[in-house]
Amino acid sequence: MMLALLLGLSFNTWAQTMEVSGVVLDDQKMGIPGASVIIKGTTTGTATDIDGKFFINVDKGQVLVISFVGFKSQELTMDGKTHFDVVLENSAIGLDEVVAIGYGAVKKSDLTGSVASLDSDKLTEMRKTDVGQAIQGQIAGVDVRRVSSKPGAPLSIKIRGNTVITNTNVDNDGVTNDLSRDLSKPLYVVDGIFLDDISIIDPSNIKKMDILKDASATAIYGSRGANGVVIVTTKSGIEGKTVFTYDGSFGITSAVNRPDMMDGDEYVQFVKDGVRGKKWRTLWETENPLAEDFDNIDITEELESQFRSSNGETDNIANKRYTDWTKEFLNTAIQTSHSVGMSGGQNGMVYNASIGYLKDEGVIGIEKYERYTAAVSLSKKVTDQITVGIRTNLAYSEREEGSRELWRSLHRMAPTVSPYDENGDPVLFPDDQESRFLNPYYDANGSWEVNTRRTDVIANFYVDYKPVEWFSFKSTFAPNLRTIRLGEYRSLKTKAARNQQSRTRSIYNTMFDNSYSWDNIANFDFKPFEDHKLKATLISSLYYNQIEGSNIQVRNLDSDSYSFYNTAGGDDVRERDSYYTKQTLASFAARVNYNIKEKYLFTFTGRYDGSSKLAEGEKWTFFPSAAFAWRVSEEDFMQDFSWLDNLKVRLSYGEAGNDAPVKPYASMAFLSNSGYLFGNSTATGKTVENLSNEKLTWERSKEYNFGLNIGILNNRVRLDAELYQKDTDGGILNRELMYITGYSSAVGNYGELRNKGIELVLNTVNVRTDDFSWETSINFAKNKNEILKLADGVDQFLYGKYGILRVGESVDAIYGYEKDGIWQMSEAAEAKTYGAVPGMYKIVDQDGDGAITGDKDKVVLGSNSPDWIGGITNNFRYKDFDMNVMVYTRQGAYGHSEFYEHHSPEDTNTSFNRVDRNYWTPTNQNGDVQLPGIRPSYGNTFFTEMSFVKVGNIGLGYNVPKSILNKWNISKVRLSLDVQNPFTFSDYKGPDPETGLQNSYNMGYSLKTVLFGLKVTL
Amino acid sequence: MNILGKIKYISLFAVMVGFSACDGYVEEENFTNLTGETYLTEDNADQLVVGVYQSLRDIYKDYDIAFYGTDIFTSTKKIDEIHSLNEYFDINASDESISKHWKHNYEMIANANVVIDRFEEISWSDSKLSEKAYGIAQAKGLRALAYYNLVQQFGGVVLELKESKTIKDDYERSTEEECFVQIIKDFEEAIPVLVNDTDFGRLSKKAAQHILADVYMTRSYKSFAGSDDEKMAYELAEASIGTYDIRSQSFEQVFSYDNQENNEILFSVQYGDGGEYEDRDNNKHVLFRYKLQDFAGISRQTSYAVGGKGSRPSQYLYTLFADNDTRDAVTFHRALLADEESAYESDNGSEVINPGDTVVYFPMNMLPDVELANGLNKYWVFQPDEYFFDEKVDVDGVLYQYSNRNIKYPFPIFKKFDDENFIESEDGGGGHRDTYVYRVSETHLLAAEAYLKAGNQSKALEHINIVRERATGDANHYTSITLDDILNERAVELAGEENRWNILKRTGKLEERINLYNAHVMHHGKFDSHNLLRPIPEHEIFLSNGALKQNPGY
């Protein structure tokens, strides 16, 4: 080693050193602060100061590389000149941008895999508070879906479709809304630390986000990268320049796209129709009624019980004194955020520190989300060869979800009853007819709390040792400590407790999730031949995760004053447990990048992974990948095509594994407690809980990716296209078992799955003048998901409530009866053969046997996965003003609407209000919803398409001109006004097609925020 | 570049790798769970047997398949509204009540199979061999009971007699006859080992003899009946009764809340007020009721509890109770009493109801007009012919002081399953009372049925009259009997306890009696002979890929 060091030093000794200075300017001749000035081939360099100036000692003959994100790099050869004015050209394409590829980075031009990137500007442009929201609609093939609109709710992020055949939570169609149990979510790597949730990161603290999509790109993460990898690099300081920033916002949040519920008159009519509807079906048993007979059905008696005088309901109706429950309890809410940052450095020490605060209130009840964040990064160049550093992110958040029933209750309460009595005091049970329905007034005022407090500490300590130019070694230790406390209290005055003490409930759950990873990375950088470059990376990585926690639930609390803080206050113990799980992963990986003449690029990656969760003897496996890229535009024969700036084709193949679908210990069979009483003495009992699986091993995905990057017309038009096919073998799934076995399901490597798709990104600079520019970015992605195999001899399972897993169909397939309109009066005779009467849905008799029978007439109706997703962002700039408009869409997603099930008129329950849909009656035969009063007799029919187009953001920004700021010695002031989520276009009648799969229990409104922002950089 | 130098760096890296590479690093570490292989020994093997008993709880909460669509129970809906299971109106394979019963019984079978197989794997010392045999005998008896439940509802089912250790889906159904052979075989192996003096709630010899008698009785009606099935039935029934005299306790005493472990009980599903939540989670007390808290003066916390689950008695059931029958007062609440003070606005002005006041009264016999008018000025009265399926219409000229609400579906609610100690929750669950499965009086009625079918009227009369005598004091009520007499006596004695559907099916009386006594069936029933077998659950047909055949007609 000493020899090498001497060799390294010896290169420098004969050089002739001089000091040069310069200023780096943008195309408007404004100084660029923080631009990097590096001596080519070394790590020595500096950064420009606030005015764009720099000073550096160089040797004659050396080359300075000046670069800054968003600009084309420039190289200056030191020929003796000591001052340079450098004007950097805007780089729309960013080929020199550095892209994180996991355990290293490459120039974008050298990429062989499929990687999409977003920089800080893009991420913060719309001032979204959550990273998921910030990338929604922006990246082809990344499907970001809001699963709940309540403040602080995490978002579902899927890269290239659903890669997992069965999720652990199959309550709703197999689609997981509990994101902690979503198995097809990507791996998040924040500064080298593995996370499964990035909601704790403040988007304004992110410098860059790189999303690895194809298997060759993710291969370096082996088994952890099967669902794609999101690499987040947070901000760090720049030596020689101290920068202070303030970034704040204040906004008003309100509900948009509120469902159109029936008003009082409509509701009264609906009740009448519903009560008649109940009698309509049996009327057909004995006679053939005419349409006009419907209105003659005697409902006097029923109406008396539907509308009762005891709570003034009959008076209310007589005087048309109606209550709009949804409006009555709607608030306008505040969203505000502040963050303060400081960065800089000198003498080899750089630092960046920031603290942030966010408050986001909901529009009903006590919903609220608050987040405090702090980030510190520090690095010190100890010697020329050794750099040590630490990066930490701390986050503390509190999320109050409020009542889970409030939203649903408000949409159910009849407009004919009132929340208040004549004195203006709240009535305990506003509707006599529904004695279960306690006044939502109390829920709205906080009688039901669902409170999550969470602390995250993520840190990364590293030592970087670079003894010689061609070799470096880095060791990284990254602990991640997470504590989550969920407290829930349902007091007497909640719909859940109905003012009965025995039903009050207190829940207190804690979880400690501690993990670390320890990575050792060796990088080799050779030039074996002229024009050939070889970069090799060797990695050993250990990952350890340990989760422990406890859950307590008690009922019958003797006081409401405890909230959830005293579970001893209740004597009916329903849950008390504690648990421990541990999982470990050991990995060895290697990657070789080979570059010939900057034209032919090869990447080979292999990773050997061992996972504790898999069966004995099945724990270790190897995942290889290879990729090739050809920069066609760099070929000599292409130089005549001056309009073509960039043409690159890429081809890759990679294998990736996945053990996420299994929990620790999944291969073993356990005993579960099944106690019993004999007489009154307790007897301990045990039953076998599940089948063991001694062959449980890795599920393996094999992915081909073809990519194309084209830039023309001075890179003003750029097209990126990706085409891929990903086959998953040995797909781990929870195979449903026949009841005869005594077990409900068994975990194993049974399935095969294919995802294939296309992703297109088109970026255009439509106009670019000194004063005005207009840029458009369009992305489109289509993914088709298909089950190739389920298990030997089995080609279908019913899945969740409405789902099916069937060979040839999507994993997210929805299974049910197909509706073909409504039986009309003229079709009564035919309807009768199916046991139906006019006004009922006409169910398609798929097998034509003249009867509707479960297993023969149900079909796959659609899929929760969208046919395609896309987004368009337009950015305009006029002088110091800029504007952005972002629109995104999910098309073809189909699902079961819990909202319709609870709030659509076709039900026998007429004591709840309903959404105003056009329902059929014999006197309104154009209705497209079944006659109220007849609950669909062929099972559930609340299926619907949930396609939508949403305007995600309209934003206006103003940068105070530097000419003004310079007087105050302020480098940047930006004012902005954003309208987030202003419009939704959809045929869906629920509150939000994006959250359409969600149960209306615990639902929230779709929210619009008008946000004023201020950003100051000193 | 110096090759030696490179080797140095590579070896440095290799050292780091070697440092972290260790197979032990990826071993599992498990504290939270137990495995059978490491846990079970001869000393705790009985815990697996206890696990089988625990399966009984779900099975005997499957009320719908036992009561709907019978002569003495019907739906709570209005007369012109449809309840598919009750009126045999398009019953299909996705019916949840039916598939639950299939699932629950197969769960018990699977748990019993675990006992039978694993008891052979555990090593037993000689002194404990009797415990081994006893555990296996209980498991076989409970497995046979579950198969018997299934065969009565579904006909021939899949006979799985081994613990499931691998995934299987090519199950095929055995014939009904083969199922009976297996059930009888299990009981015959179990009975010699079972004992009578055991923990209350374990399967005793007497209980097993009763069930086997019932099995023979059921088979005796089949085309594949054995030549002496009736004889086997009455002999086993009499062996089960032994010397016990049911007259040693009154009917009321048998249902006394504090007397749930009495000698008449052959087999009951155990609940109590200690232990885990599941131990306190019987919900049988909410059966055959309606929402009583709709009445002013009646809170949700009374022993009437929350009601409205499942079916309701048909009018016919009430008519079966003779005036002198003490069982009426034990079986029904004829008066509903207030338990909380409540002020109420009525046509008569403001009224106060005090705890103990009568809120609703259901006289056993028609009240004369004067008495009726008197009653109606204080509370609601429903005459025996007014147990409507529709909402009550006001009677002209009468003041209903306690309530002017419309009362849905008035009928005397059940009393015999009352729980004095329950936890009110969503469905009114959380009762602590045991569910009686078999009682000695049923054994007598079973013996009576067997003797009658065998042509021995006098022995049949002996058995049925002893049941009647206990209830009415009349030792010779019956002088000759028919099958319908036995069904009526069973209805009165065992209402809500026996699986009425199974009994009507075995005696061939289902179709006849529902068309006579079940008002909803009479109004729009669609019973067809294929309904004598329940559909195999869609879930099973679906997963078996055609190996499992559906019953005809579904």
Side-chain angles (χ1 to χ4, degrees), chain A residues 716-735:
Chain A
R716 283 177 61 165
V717 177
R718 282 170 294 131
L719 177 73
D720 301 316
E722 307 281 345
L723 202 62
Y724 62 89
Q725 174 168 318
K726 180 174 183 176
D727 287 352
T728 305
D729 288 348
I732 296 173
L733 62 91
N734 233 9
R735 174 177 176 173

Side-chain angles (χ1 to χ4, degrees), chain A residues 23-40:
Chain A
V23 58
V24 181
L25 303 168
D26 65 13
D27 49 6
Q28 292 169 69
K29 302 292 183 292
M30 300 301 295
I32 302 176
S36 114
V37 181
I38 304 277
I39 300 171
K40 193 174 182 181

Side-chain angles (χ1 to χ4, degrees), chain A residues 1 3-4 278-279 281-282 285 301-302 304-305 308 435-436 467-468 470-471 473 498 500 502-503 516 518 520 522 524 526 538-540 542-544 572-574 576 578-580 582 584-586 588 610-613 616 619-620 664-665 668-671 674-680 682-688 691 735-743 746 750 792-798 804 815 854-856 858, chain B residues 1-2 6 8-10 13 16-17 19-21 23 25-36 39-40 47-48 50-51 53-54 56-57 78 80-82 89-90 99 102-103 106-107 110-111 114 118 158 160 163-169 171 199-202 261 268-273 275-277 279-280 291 293-294 300-301 391 393 405-406 423-426 524 538-545 548 554:
Chain A
M1 197 194 305
L3 179 68
K278 282 190 212 179
K279 303 194 163 213
R281 188 174 181 190
T282 40
E285 286 293 305
E301 238 179 71
E302 283 83 357
E304 269 180 51
S305 85
R308 302 186 185 191
S435 56
R436 291 180 302 146
V468 289
W470 56 269
F471 173 75
F473 174 79
R498 297 179 211 145
Q500 291 162 51
S502 64
R503 297 171 61 91
Y516 70 78
W518 182 29
N520 291 299
F524 301 85
F526 298 110
L538 297 176
I539 300 151
S540 83
L542 294 180
Y543 173 74
Y544 176 98
D572 179 10
V573 178
R574 292 299 178 95
R576 44 157 185 87
S578 56
Y579 55 88
Y580 170 93
K582 188 193 95 172
T584 49
L585 184 75
F588 305 98
S611 164
S612 65
K613 292 193 287 184
E616 242 10 274
K619 292 178 191 290
W620 289 90
Y665 324 120
M668 309 179 190
F670 291 128
L671 297 176
S674 309
Y676 195 63
L677 293 174
F678 291 118
N680 262 331
T682 302
T684 308
K686 294 271 186 289
T687 46
V688 180
L691 287 172
R735 174 177 176 173
E736 200 172 342
L737 300 180
M738 291 174 72
Y739 295 142
I740 295 173
T741 61
Y743 304 111
Y750 306 119
D792 290 326
V794 181
D795 54 12
Q796 54 188 9
F797 304 138
L798 292 177
I804 188 171
Y815 186 62
D855 38 350
K856 298 185 196 116
K858 282 189 186 169
Chain B
M1 196 60 67
N2 189 317
K6 286 180 194 173
K8 276 187 182 171
Y9 294 119
I10 291 166
F13 180 72
M16 295 306 292
V17 167
F19 181 60
S20 57
D23 223 22
Y25 191 77
V26 291
E27 286 301 306
E28 294 217 89
E29 190 179 30
N30 165 31
F31 298 117
T32 322
N33 306 288
L34 298 171
T35 64
Y39 178 74
L40 292 171
Q47 293 184 9
L48 287 179
V50 174
Y53 282 98
Q54 173 267 340
L56 288 165
R57 287 186 174 148
K78 292 187 182 178
D80 53 1
E81 289 180 9
I82 293 163
F89 206 102
D90 305 336
S99 60
W102 171 282
K103 181 174 182 226
Y106 269 112
E107 267 164 20
N111 289 334
V114 168
R118 300 229 177 174
V158 174
E160 176 58 69
E163 178 185 350
S164 301
K165 291 209 158 174
T166 53
I167 291 169
K168 207 176 145 186
D169 52 25
Y171 296 103
D199 296 334
F200 196 87
R202 285 200 195 251
E261 294 171 29
S268 58
V269 184
Q270 300 291 297
Y271 296 90
D273 39 20
E276 296 291 323
Y277 169 70
D279 297 332
R280 298 176 262 125
K291 267 193 201 163
Q293 73 274 14
D294 278 355
R300 297 174 70 98
Q301 305 294 335
E391 292 175 358
V393 190
R405 296 187 194 187
N406 288 297
I423 299 166
E424 192 273 319
S425 67
E426 190 71 33
H524 56 260
E538 184 183 23
H539 179 271
E540 302 293 84
I541 301 281
F542 208 79
L543 289 179
S544 77
N545 274 335
L548 207 59
Y554 291 105

Side-chain angles (χ1 to χ4, degrees), chain A residues 8-27:
Chain A
L9 288 171
S10 68
F11 286 119
N12 293 333
T13 44
W14 49 268
Q16 176 191 342
T17 305
M18 59 182 179
E19 189 189 78
V20 296
S21 65
V23 58
V24 181
L25 303 168
D26 65 13
D27 49 6

Side-chain angles (χ1 to χ4, degrees), chain A residues 32 78 120 128 143 212 215 310 366 415 439 445 465 473 540 561 565 597 626 671 775 849:
Chain A
I32 302 176
M78 294 301 107
S120 171
K128 304 272 181 164
D143 183 15
L212 315 185
S310 54
I366 55 170
N439 197 337
N445 284 288
Y465 174 52
F473 174 79
S540 83
S561 67
Y565 292 112
K597 295 183 173 174
L671 297 176
E775 297 177 14
D849 69 348

